[in-house]
Amino acid sequence: MPAIPLMIPDLPPAAAVLPYLERIDAAKWYTNFGPLVKEFEAQLLVQLAPGREDIRLVTTSNATVAIEMALQALHLPRGARVLVPGLTFVATGTSVIRAGHEPVMSDVDADSWLLTPAIASRALAATRIDAVLPVATFGCPQDVDQWRAWSEQTGVPVLIDAAGAFGNQPVGPVPVVFSLHATKSLGIGEGGFVVSDDADFIERIRRLSNFGIGANHGEVDEAGTNGKMSEYHAAVGLAALPRWQAKREVRLSLQAGYRLALQQHAPTVMWQDKPEGIPTILVVAMPSGVDAGAIASRLATRGIETRRWYCPPLFEHRAFAGCDAAGPLDVSRDIAGRLLGLPFHLHLQIDDVSTVCSELGAAIDDEQSHHTSPAALDFVSLPAKTAVHRPRRAARRG
Ligand SMILES: *Cc1c(COP(=O)(O)O)cnc(C)c1O
């Protein structure tokens, strides 16, 4: 294991899960919408939409299948064109294809790194779009009220992939999918859920998650899949929820620690412009012209594990080679080349944060001076020097 690992999943210990496992033993009900799944769904709703009787929620086996089922439940025409951001996890795109539709690649906003309603409007003016699947990129929340207004204006349905954004992403006006994968903010191993104010939509997904079998005599009107959450996963979820608030506090203070340390040691990195939230992962962008891959290799030699999340961007995977783009993808490509996920987990000490940031700052300085070509060196030796030359800060490399 590296000296400073990228992530350490934090799931409830066996002792916290045990009482729920004993309830499963007693009830002998293991899956198919059992009592623990129902209780977990109710508690998630309390957490996400307290006092909102109109909001419904259905748990699933994971977020990828949840997106596939939610797309199916939208009843789009076969081969519908679904706008997806170029900068996202592959599952956003694979689920569109597996639902029988075509992903259409969209660029993202340069500051928030999100596919926004304004970008979707430009796409819609340029090409046919039958649905939009915006992503809460790296936990940055999508504006559900804006998307509702956009959807009402255009008649184009919107489904939000907020897989990694539990704790940040508001719910209600448009359907939202969350993941409960071990690496996400509320991890239970494998799991997911969909939230919406449309009760019929949620019931359709619930049926689809059980092969399409409806309440009426097991008859199947529409072919579904097996996308249910088991009682065992709900047991972990019920044990995880009470611990979530405390984890949230730790993550917030770690994030604050990172902000300070980066300002001090690596002031040229860019943050995703987003409201304060609970990051599950912490991603920054290298300054323009600095290749994140080189920085990652250098940090690895120092025992610091990083990851270039969402790289390569969606449209560079062979699985999506034939997909249309709604316009240029320059921002997605640029951010993908520069972004780097830094170590972020509940076992990280504040000293580790300083080490990561000072090593990062030193690596960026080195990379920038390496890339100064001989011609440029001549240039910096001219009087303009002070504006261009960045002194190497050897002291940082200790
Ligand atoms: C993690 C993730 C998924 C997939 O979630 P699973 O529960 O692992 O299927 C989908 N989309 C995004 C944006 C993700 O980050």
Side-chain angles (χ1 to χ4, degrees), residues 131-178:
V132 186
L133 184 49
V135 174
T137 311
F138 304 132
C140 181
Q142 284 283 355
D143 187 327
V144 282
D145 294 318
Q146 266 190 33
W147 276 117
R148 168 76 151 237
W150 187 90
S151 185
E152 280 172 358
Q153 258 167 32
T154 59
V156 175
V158 172
L159 170 71
I160 294 179
D161 173 358
F166 180 77
N168 289 352
Q169 178 61 55
V171 298
V174 283
V176 182
V177 177
F178 293 92

Side-chain angles (χ1 to χ4, degrees), residues 248-337:
R248 177 194 147 86
E249 305 291 319
V250 178
R251 286 213 185 93
L252 282 172
S253 71
L254 267 178
Q255 185 191 35
Y258 255 114
R259 259 184 205 283
L260 279 175
L262 283 169
Q263 270 161 21
Q264 189 186 346
H265 298 291
T268 56
V269 302
M270 279 173 45
W271 287 71
Q272 183 180 15
D273 173 28
K274 63 173 165 183
E276 286 302 309
I278 319 123
T280 323
I281 56 179
L282 194 127
V283 182
V284 293
M286 301 303 107
S288 232
V290 173
D291 171 34
I295 303 294
S297 312
R298 152 85 181 241
L299 292 178
T301 67
R302 307 297 164 115
I304 298 168
E305 188 184 12
T306 58
R307 190 167 304 164
R308 301 181 65 190
W309 298 107
Y310 298 174
C311 289
L314 207 53
F315 45 85
E316 286 178 10
H317 289 268
R318 216 173 316 150
F320 305 107
C323 294
D324 273 0
L329 300 166
D330 300 341
V331 177
S332 304
R333 202 174 280 115
D334 172 56
I335 295 169

